[in-house]
């Protein structure tokens, strides 16, 4: 046990727990929290008390439990869908403060909207949680480096595993661009011994 725990605040905890319930159902959510030995959290959720801070250990435990419950491949697919479901709830919670819902943002040219939106999303995590995101711009790609990542916290895996982040980014870009699909791939992961969890986003949408 480390002296200082890292956290997502309760507003983000609520988003994740409610998105999980949307995708897994009440019983599925409960099964995953139990499997991750988060019985106190399960009790809160059963009382509809979703406003819970989530430690990085808890978030990583949830990711790992999804893979044990649904199998490695299925679990990552479910995590991706949970990440997507987090976006709309996050927009309601943080959208106004970060300018996502301003008409001015909606009217920016597509490429500017993409870059402004990604950097606002990164600063949301940097400001409100212990997760650290750094953006790197390349000619064709935007690299989203998660330098301190709750999803794979203290895990060791043989392939990148932070699908909840991929799903959230995918849905964010879809919404910001007014319905365009971007190609995203997690190309490095702290759990594989890399220096960051890196999601590579092609700047040019597929459609
Ligand atoms: Zn990670």
């Amino acid at each position: 046990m480390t002296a200082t725990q890292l956290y997502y605040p309760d507003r983000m905890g609520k988003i994740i727990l409610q998105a999980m319930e949307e995708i897994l159902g009440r019983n599925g959510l409960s099964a995953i929290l139990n499997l991750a030995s988060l019985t106190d959290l399960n009790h809160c959720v059963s009382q509809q008390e979703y406003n819970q801070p989530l430690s990085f250990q808890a978030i990583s435990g949830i990711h790992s439990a999804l893979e044990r419950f649904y199998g490695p491949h299925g679990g990552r697919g479910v995590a991706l869908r949970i990440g997507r479901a987090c976006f709309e709830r996050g927009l309601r919670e943080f959208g106004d403060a970060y300018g996502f819902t301003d008409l001015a943002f909606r009217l920016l040219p597509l490429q500017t909207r993409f870059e402004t939106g990604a950097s606002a999303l990164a600063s949301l995590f940097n400001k409100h949680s212990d997760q650290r995101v750094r953006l790197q711009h390349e000619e064709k790609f935007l690299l989203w480096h998660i330098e301190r990542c709750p999803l794979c916290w203290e895990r060791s895996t043989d392939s990148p595993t932070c699908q909840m982040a991929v799903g959230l980014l995918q849905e964010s870009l879809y919404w910001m661009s007014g319905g365009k699909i971007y190609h995203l791939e997690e190309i490095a992961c702290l759990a594989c011994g890399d220096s960051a969890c890196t999601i590579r986003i092609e700047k040019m949408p597929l459609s």
Side-chain angles (χ1 to χ4, degrees):
M1 197 74 162
T2 44
T4 326
Q5 288 235 38
L6 303 175
Y7 281 96
Y8 269 0
D10 53 1
R11 293 165 78 189
M12 288 187 178
K14 180 178 80 177
I15 290 168
I16 293 178
L17 292 170
Q18 291 187 337
M20 286 179 70
E21 189 171 281
E22 180 188 326
I23 301 298
L24 307 175
R26 167 60 59 89
N27 291 340
L29 170 59
S30 177
I32 293 300
L33 293 179
N34 278 331
L35 191 59
S37 304
L38 298 167
T39 38
D40 290 351
L41 194 57
N42 199 15
H43 179 71
C44 295
V45 167
S46 69
Q47 307 289 315
Q48 313 248 357
E49 292 163 9
Y50 297 98
N51 266 312
Q52 306 295 332
L54 292 182
S55 70
F56 280 22
Q57 274 93 343
I59 298 166
S60 166
I62 286 171
H63 246 72
S64 155
L66 286 170
E67 290 177 25
R68 276 182 284 151
F69 194 79
Y70 294 100
H73 186 72
R76 288 177 193 185
V78 170
L80 187 81
R81 288 170 57 205
I82 294 170
R84 283 199 204 129
C86 284
F87 174 73
E88 202 186 315
R89 297 173 185 284
L91 189 64
R92 251 179 275 150
E93 188 72 36
F94 294 102
D96 289 351
Y98 281 81
F100 290 126
T101 46
D102 289 354
L103 183 61
F105 175 75
R106 306 289 292 170
L107 294 176
L108 291 171
L110 180 60
Q111 194 54 38
T112 319
R113 217 180 318 143
F114 172 89
E115 291 184 8
T116 312
S119 103
L121 194 60
S123 55
L124 193 161
F125 282 108
N126 289 334
K127 190 171 164 202
H128 289 275
S129 80
D130 290 321
Q131 178 173 321
R132 287 294 162 266
V133 179
R134 181 174 62 85
L135 296 181
Q136 182 186 350
H137 288 273
E138 291 185 342
E139 193 189 336
K140 288 189 179 163
F141 301 106
L142 174 65
L143 300 177
W144 173 277
H145 299 292
I146 309 174
E147 296 177 325
R148 205 153 68 193
C149 177
L151 303 173
C152 61
W153 185 252
E154 293 177 336
R155 287 191 71 194
S156 171
T157 60
D158 46 19
S159 60
T161 189
C162 310
Q163 290 301 304
M164 220 183 269
V166 176
L168 176 75
L169 273 177
Q170 204 174 49
E171 194 64 23
S172 307
L173 294 171
Y174 181 81
W175 184 87
M176 285 173 199
S177 65
K180 301 209 179 290
I181 315 263
Y182 288 82
H183 186 253
L184 283 80
E185 190 181 354
E186 190 180 18
I187 55 167
C189 183
L190 288 158
C192 302
D194 296 310
S195 59
C197 299
T198 300
I199 299 168
R200 188 178 65 186
I201 308 162
E202 272 181 38
K203 287 185 175 177
M204 191 67 78
L206 297 171
S207 61

